[in-house]
Amino acid sequence: ETGVTQSPTHLIKTRGQQVTLRCSSQSGHNTVSWYQQALGQGPQFIFQYYREEENGRGNFPPRFSGLQFPNYSSELNVNALELDDSALYLCASSSQGAEGYTFGSGTRLTVV
Amino acid sequence: GNSVTQMEGPVTLSEEAFLTINCTYTATGYPSLFWYVQYPGEGLQLLLKATKADDKGSNKGFEATYRKETTSFHLEKGSVQVSDSAVYFCALSSANQAGTALIFGKGTTLSVSS
C-alpha cells in the first residue's frame, strides 16, 4: 500500500509569483485535505476535496485554490505569493466518512 | 469556535522518565481526538486516537484518555526513549456539512537524552 506522496519537497519562489504543489493520495483514499504549517506552529486547515469538488475550507483567502483529479490526486495553487506564505504544506488523504488521515512529508515553500 | 490548547514546550527528559503532555480542547458536539507525532523533516504520523468519551487510545507505549468532563486528552508514556524525541500535536476533528477538518494545537517539542 503506497502512502501519500508530495512534490516537490522544497521550493523557493519570489513574492508575487504563483506556485503549484502536488499530492498523490494513498491507495483507496478518495478525500484529500491540505494544511499549512508555519514554523513552530501546528498545521492549519486550508481546504478539503472529495469527488473533485471543494468540500470544506478554512480561513484562507481565495488566492489559495485547489483541484482534485479523477484518480484522487490533488494540486494546491497559490497566486500572488506573499512572504507569510512561507511554510510547510502538508497533504493528507482519507476515505470519506472515515477519520483516518495519512499525511505526506510535505513541501517546504520559501517565498523571498 | 473549536480549538486545541497544549502545554508549551520544550519538554526535556532523561531516558526512562515518565512523560505527560497536557492537551485540552474546546468543541461543540463530540469530536474525535488525536495525537500526531512529527519527526524532524517529516510529515505527521498518527500516534493514537479516541472517538468517544472515556475511550483510551494507545500505541507504542503511549496512551491518552478522552475525558469529556475536563475536556482533556493528555498524552502519557511510562518510560520514554531517545527515539521518542519529536514534536507532538494534539488535534480534534471538526465535522460539518461540508467535510471534516483537523484542528491542531501548536505542538510540544519533546527532547529525550540518554
Side-chain angles (χ1 to χ4, degrees):
Chain A
E1 164 179 284
T2 58
V4 176
T5 57
Q6 293 187 241
S7 62
T9 55
H10 295 83
L11 199 54
I12 300 175
K13 289 287 190 179
T14 302
R15 188 171 50 182
Q17 285 188 314
Q18 178 267 341
V19 69
T20 297
L21 310 182
R22 294 178 175 82
C23 172
S24 294
S25 59
Q26 180 169 308
S27 176
H29 286 181
N30 56 18
T31 301
V32 174
S33 305
W34 286 91
Y35 290 81
Q36 180 195 67
Q37 185 180 14
L39 198 62
Q41 301 295 314
Q44 299 289 316
F45 176 68
I46 303 175
F47 45 54
Q48 182 179 83
Y49 276 80
Y50 170 63
R51 289 188 175 180
E52 304 176 52
E53 297 285 335
E54 189 179 286
N55 191 35
R57 189 177 184 92
N59 190 26
F60 280 81
R63 59 190 185 84
F64 286 79
S65 63
L67 286 172
Q68 186 181 32
F69 300 99
N71 66 354
Y72 306 127
S73 65
S74 177
E75 289 182 352
L76 164 65
N77 299 290
V78 187
N79 293 322
L81 284 167
E82 301 177 359
L83 297 180
D84 285 349
D85 295 334
S86 296
L88 180 67
Y89 287 85
L90 295 165
C91 172
S93 72
S94 61
S95 295
Q96 184 68 0
E99 292 192 271
Y101 303 87
T102 302
F103 281 82
S105 296
T107 295
R108 173 73 62 187
L109 172 65
T110 303
V111 183
V112 297
Chain B
N2 296 343
S3 66
V4 173
T5 302
Q6 58 183 109
M7 63 187 288
E8 297 277 334
V11 174
T12 304
L13 295 172
S14 298
E15 204 165 25
E16 299 183 4
F18 184 85
L19 168 71
T20 300
I21 300 178
N22 291 336
C23 171
T24 57
Y25 67 91
T26 301
T28 54
Y30 303 96
S32 294
L33 302 174
F34 305 82
W35 277 99
Y36 279 85
V37 59
Q38 187 173 36
Y39 297 100
E42 297 186 13
L44 301 175
Q45 298 177 24
L46 177 64
L47 183 58
L48 53 83
K49 71 176 183 180
T51 59
K52 61 183 188 296
D54 299 325
D55 267 3
K56 177 185 284 188
S58 61
N59 186 27
K60 300 181 182 179
F62 291 90
E63 58 182 32
T65 301
Y66 190 145
R67 301 287 188 199
K68 182 170 177 289
E69 64 276 13
T70 55
T71 62
S72 65
F73 193 55
H74 304 321
L75 182 68
E76 296 182 337
K77 186 176 185 182
S79 176
V80 293
Q81 305 300 311
V82 172
S83 58
D84 294 328
S85 298
V87 182
Y88 292 81
F89 292 94
C90 184
L92 64 82
S93 64
S94 176
N96 56 43
Q97 70 281 6
T100 302
L102 288 174
I103 296 173
F104 288 87
K106 291 187 176 181
T108 302
T109 299
L110 171 64
S111 178
V112 180
S113 59
S114 57

